[in-house]
Structures are given as structure tokens and as C-alpha cells.
Amino acid sequence: MLNNWLSILRTHRLIGVIRSNDLNIGKKKAHALAKGGVRLIEITWNSYQADSLISSLREELPHCYIGTGTILSQDDLVRSIDAGVQFCFSPHYDFNLLQLAHQWKIPLIPGAFSPTEIMTAFNGGAKVVKVFPISSLGGVNYIKNIRAPLPHIPLIPTGGVTMDNAMDYIKAGSIAVGLSTDLFPEKLMFDDNWDIMVQRIQQIQQQLVNMNN
């Protein structure tokens, strides 16, 4: 997985991020993503019973890559690996955390804010760097500005990417994007309208994949 990580990201482009306080809702969101064609699914580690959810999804969605996010410590990482994760995200850069993940051949994508943080993470061994929270940094223009002096560093913007601007981030040079809240609108969740959510997810996933052609 670690050696193929960049290729997997370029192929699929979209990481569906799930943060849920309810195990059943978390499963429903994951299955909606899978039905919509999303193959990269991230369960944040601070979700309710994240380890159980990850273990279940590894069995229920064998055609998807199931990862986790909000990994803050080595204990978090080890427990998530025991649960079966195939990739990890953290909101920060920690050299020891990164090295431990790579020992297990698990891609770990650290979060960074400034050019210095991005360079530090990349030089420390990160294959990809999460730019987070992108909404606080200026959005698409920030990615364009960062890519100018640092075109060799693969970037994944998260924390403010929407259905409307996801393609713009890829056009600006991002290797992939992380989407969360906008994939599951509150109104559709309240109405239990999963079919419409699947249609919306399918549309954005296909748009992003088509950009590879």
C-alpha cells in the first residue's frame, strides 16, 4: 500500500471523510460513499467506536481502502492498525509517528499549514502532505501559490473543500482532496434520503476521475 499510495491517490482523487457519533450512521455514510464510487474512505479516530467501524468496513467493503484520521499519538496509530486501517491522516507532523506507520507499510499523511511545515513534513519522509485547514489559508489560491515554489510535493487539501470547488483544487495541482461535511448535507441526513446522497457523491467522484483522462 505504501509503495502504491501516490498512484492510488491519482487514480481515485477523492477521500470521503466520516466523523460520526453513531456507529450505524457511520456505516450508512461509508456504504453511501462506496455506492457512489468512492474507494478511499477515512473514518476519523475520534468517531464513536472508530475501531469497530473500521473493522466492520474492512469486511463489508473489500473493494474500498479504509483509513483513519485525527491520529494524534503512537497509541492511536497502533490501535488503528490493529483495527485494520490501510492509511492514516494526522492533523500535525510527528516524525516518530510517521516512521512507525511506515514500518507497518501504512501511508501516514501529516497535516501542515505553512511552507515551512510542508517542507519539514516532506523532508521528514511524508510521501504526501495534508494542507489543513485549507479554508483558513485562502482556499484554491493558496494551493496555487504553494505549488509554484514546491511543485514536487504532493498535496491534499482538507478542511473546507466542497462539492463546488473540489475540481478546482485538482486543477490547481492537488493530488487528491478530502471531503466531509458537504458529502452529507444536514437536510438529506434529516430526511434519511440516502439515494440522493449517493447520486451527489457519484457525480463528484466521476467528475474528479474524469479529470485523469
Side-chain angles (χ1 to χ4, degrees), residues 121-204:
F122 184 73
N123 289 338
K127 292 182 175 293
V128 189
V129 179
K130 176 175 76 170
V131 185
F132 168 84
I134 193 61
S135 61
S136 300
L137 293 166
V140 174
N141 285 335
Y142 188 75
I143 294 296
K144 290 179 179 178
N145 291 334
I146 287 293
R147 289 280 299 165
L150 304 176
H152 60 294
I153 301 181
L155 302 175
I156 301 177
T158 70
V161 180
T162 67
M163 304 278 278
D164 290 335
N165 64 24
M167 291 181 64
D168 293 331
Y169 281 105
I170 300 298
K171 290 177 182 177
S174 303
I175 191 171
V177 293
L179 274 89
S180 180
T181 305
D182 204 31
L183 292 172
F184 308 103
E186 289 187 10
K187 178 64 166 59
L188 295 180
M189 291 287 295
F190 181 81
D191 293 339
D192 204 29
N193 200 334
W194 294 96
D195 289 339
I196 296 299
M197 276 187 278
V198 169
Q199 292 175 19
R200 295 175 75 252
I201 291 167
Q202 188 174 41
Q203 182 179 31
I204 187 61

Side-chain angles (χ1 to χ4, degrees), residues 3-12 175:
N3 293 333
N4 298 329
W5 184 230
L6 294 181
S7 176
I8 291 170
L9 288 172
R10 289 193 186 96
T11 298
H12 299 292
I175 191 171

Side-chain angles (χ1 to χ4, degrees), residues 54-150:
I54 289 165
S55 296
S56 296
L57 294 177
R58 283 299 311 273
E59 294 183 5
E60 297 169 10
L61 303 174
H63 56 297
C64 295
Y65 299 99
I66 308 299
T68 190
T70 322
I71 293 296
L72 303 178
S73 68
Q74 292 191 23
D75 180 63
D76 289 345
L77 178 61
V78 171
R79 289 172 57 207
S80 71
I81 291 173
D82 287 343
V85 294
Q86 295 167 286
F87 63 90
C88 298
F89 279 82
S90 62
H92 67 300
Y93 167 66
D94 181 319
F95 176 78
N96 293 325
L97 200 62
L98 183 67
Q99 294 303 305
L100 180 60
H102 286 186
Q103 287 176 18
W104 287 85
K105 306 300 182 184
I106 301 291
L108 187 143
I109 304 88
F113 197 79
S114 67
T116 297
E117 291 178 350
I118 292 170
M119 280 292 296
T120 299
F122 184 73
N123 289 338
K127 292 182 175 293
V128 189
V129 179
K130 176 175 76 170
V131 185
F132 168 84
I134 193 61
S135 61
S136 300
L137 293 166
V140 174
N141 285 335
Y142 188 75
I143 294 296
K144 290 179 179 178
N145 291 334
I146 287 293
R147 289 280 299 165
L150 304 176

Side-chain angles (χ1 to χ4, degrees), residues 31-68:
H31 280 270
L33 288 171
K35 287 180 181 178
V38 176
R39 294 295 173 259
L40 295 166
I41 300 175
E42 172 192 335
I43 308 299
T44 62
W45 193 243
N46 57 0
S47 291
Y48 178 69
Q49 295 186 355
D51 52 350
S52 296
L53 180 55
I54 289 165
S55 296
S56 296
L57 294 177
R58 283 299 311 273
E59 294 183 5
E60 297 169 10
L61 303 174
H63 56 297
C64 295
Y65 299 99
I66 308 299
T68 190

